[in-house]
Amino acid sequence: MSDIPYKIYLEESEMPKQWYNVRADMKKKPAPILNPGTLQPVTLQELSGIFCEELAKQELDDTTPYFDIPAEIRDFYKMYRPSPLVRAYCLEKKLDTPAHIYYKFEGNNTSGSHKLNSAIAQAYYAKKQGLKGVTTETGAGQWGTALSMACSYFDLDCQVYMVKVSYEQKPFRREVMRTYGATVTPSPSMNTEVGRRINAEFPGTTGSLGCAISEAVEAAVSQEGYRYVLGSVLSQVLLHQSVIGLEAKAALDKYGIKADMIIGCAGGGSNLGGLISPFVGEMLRGENQYEIIAVEPASCPSLTRGVYAYDFCDTGKVCPLAKMYTLGSGFIPSANHAGGLRYHGMSSVVSELYDQKLISARSVEQTSVFEAARTFARVEGILPAPESSHAIRVAIDEALKCKETGEAKNIVFGLTGTGYFDMVAYQKFNDGEMSDYIPTDEDLKKSIDMLPKV
Amino acid sequence: MSDIPYKIYLEESEMPKQWYNVRADMKKKPAPILNPGTLQPVTLQELSGIFCEELAKQELDDTTPYFDIPAEIRDFYKMYRPSPLVRAYCLEKKLDTPAHIYYKFEGNNTSGSHKLNSAIAQAYYAKKQGLKGVTTETGAGQWGTALSMACSYFDLDCQVYMVKVSYEQKPFRREVMRTYGATVTPSPSMNTEVGRRINAEFPGTTGSLGCAISEAVEAAVSQEGYRYVLGSVLSQVLLHQSVIGLEAKAALDKYGIKADMIIGCAGGGSNLGGLISPFVGEMLRGENQYEIIAVEPASCPSLTRGVYAYDFCDTGKVCPLAKMYTLGSGFIPSANHAGGLRYHGMSSVVSELYDQKLISARSVEQTSVFEAARTFARVEGILPAPESSHAIRVAIDEALKCKETGEAKNIVFGLTGTGYFDMVAYQKFNDGEMSDYIPTDEDLKKSIDMLPKV
């Protein structure tokens, strides 16, 4: 064993005091988001009708490199941050690899994932603005849980529209949110116009994330003192999530470790974007080079098989349009896929970095992801979320390549969360009943052909 | 805010290298455990037929104050230890109390509780002895999960007999164990003689911990290369769990904090015994004074309403007898009670400390426990296990007393685990359907009257 501990913890005094906005260092910026009505770049005023004003400002600001993290948010962070950067000694030994593997573990809080980093920021700005509450949607439930915790802390009302099939199949997620005081409504509901319309059109529907977003947005704009909040995709979310990368980099620097490769799973891009931000910043400023890999499911391959175009962020087409790698907002990911990485598009920041070839992407199949998850769990102890396990898969693959070449690369990956609420998927895997799904080119063509003409 | 951080972490180099055996400092020792056949103190040879030899030695040794923690176990500990000692700033603020509240958080590992501290030790000694595997029982599932993880790490076979009603109602716990490679059998099963007998006698029975213990013991002694392991009650388990108290004390000492009061929940006594060991040691050696409170459920009040007598450790009466505070091994705790603190007796070490009035005990009712859990979750973030929440209840009560008296007491409590797999109970509470249960004197008399005549 070397002198590097199993877990590198920063001191509280070493925690980041500012978020880093990677857009400020990009010469070619991500394309502006568009008003879905006018198809013109959305204005601050327009955006402030949906989002809290301070968050709308962050969303539109692509020049300010650093934003101070308010003291109230830093205090909350201190309850579960700094999160450890773990040296995966046991995994290295199991793989018999010369590579040094590190993971930034974001699952050590009740929400079970990194989502809390942005949830607490969004709740803070809502409170500061004097709002009564916020609305949101949740699919798998990580974001809804995180937001419930954040709202409870700031004594804000929290209304969560949960995709009906998840509401019914994940009652425990629902109960965690209720324990934190949130109202959880199965979507489509009879609370909103769009919900009533969808229920009438498709009786017995079990809902979709797109529908839940539309309901949450309607609920926000139709109630005095409410705004809508979102847990991924948006640039403001990536800004808040930069705390992951800043801490990871500080921890590596503390021990003089230079990462060769940084790997993150990518659904909407919040974790990946946050983890890689400060490293990409160094690349953009010409200070350093890193190999960065975004890992997505083969069942929902927006980066590796999507197109780079303007698209709606939601199926209901009420949110602004963003230029992003997308499979089309009409793409319905296979129910076969267990993880939460089922979003049709990708954060416009991550998309632009990918287009500029600053990062690469790889898609992996579900069964091999769960094999990696099991290997990891058995030697490193932590039971990983299916989402996070996509990154584990590629980290293991890369470490095995190092075994062949003899290279002692420093591989860093993001372990975004724990799998305690995903045991139905683990059970399928344990019982040998898990299968893989890869959409055909025709499947993708259908939804891509329906992209808006912008 | 003072200079004390939210979370006090020790460095890896500051982690305990030895476990502390509090029995060594007790002038009046806990009474010896007895062979259930001869009713004579059990010999090392007899005990080594059921337990690993090294563990049997630890069980019988009440004079050696410190046992070296083998390097292999310390390496495993490093994956999730040192666990943080958290200053509950947010809870203090919420309660508006001058008290300083600290909790030692043992839930930051996949088993979700402190049980892993002893599981890894027991698995290590089994491996060292060249065994093929171990057998055990589990009720709520924390111990079974921890043991599965430990056995997976040392590549040992792990056979878990899980109380049938839990096996069916807690499929997620079961799947975590299976993911770690354990065989999980609903008890009573048809694998063992005792299981077959019970199934024949009580068709359709959903099992009990006592029955599962008996099956696990039979499975251990009837297979070549297997031994039985147990997650609480035993003195060896308290020895391993002393790592909790040693770390807590080191963290307090690091910041010059003198605990006034130490609070722990008590089922079989493993967490409480581990947490308080080094503090009690100082009391026994006349170096310091602490107020120590064991918190038990009003539905299973072994310390506050039991008798101090020799009793069987299991309902099947195959294990050695221990002198302990007990409600009688025939006591059936109410199914009404959600938490895992349903054991009829109490560790003989904790019992003897209680009898010597070195520690006190308090019983609390379920609904008030969940109220405390919710209050805690909402301000401190962590969703606590029902078991741990018994300690939270009393910590809050004591902090509120400080508010009245104006005393700035240092209150330390053990937060043994997380509640992710207890959402059925939380749901009951959220729905207002939780109730309390206190056994009548007559209920208790029935099982106490059936104590063995020793």
Side-chain angles (χ1 to χ4, degrees), chain B residues 194-226:
Chain B
V194 61
R196 287 188 293 270
R197 200 175 66 222
I198 291 169
N199 271 316
E201 257 180 72
F202 308 97
T205 176
T206 54
S208 73
L209 203 59
C211 167
I213 295 180
S214 306
E215 284 206 85
V217 172
E218 183 185 324
V221 298
S222 62
Q223 289 176 95
E224 184 70 32
Y226 281 76

Side-chain angles (χ1 to χ4, degrees), chain A residues 161 164 185-192 194-196 199 211 215:
Chain A
Y161 287 84
K164 195 178 273 175
T185 306
S187 167
S189 74
M190 300 303 275
N191 288 7
T192 65
V194 61
R196 287 189 292 271
N199 271 316
C211 167
E215 285 206 85

Side-chain angles (χ1 to χ4, degrees), chain B residues 247-264:
Chain B
E247 278 188 12
K249 192 156 165 15
L252 291 167
D253 288 349
K254 197 166 175 173
Y255 283 84
I257 305 155
K258 159 72 175 62
D260 295 303
M261 183 175 278
I262 300 155
I263 300 166

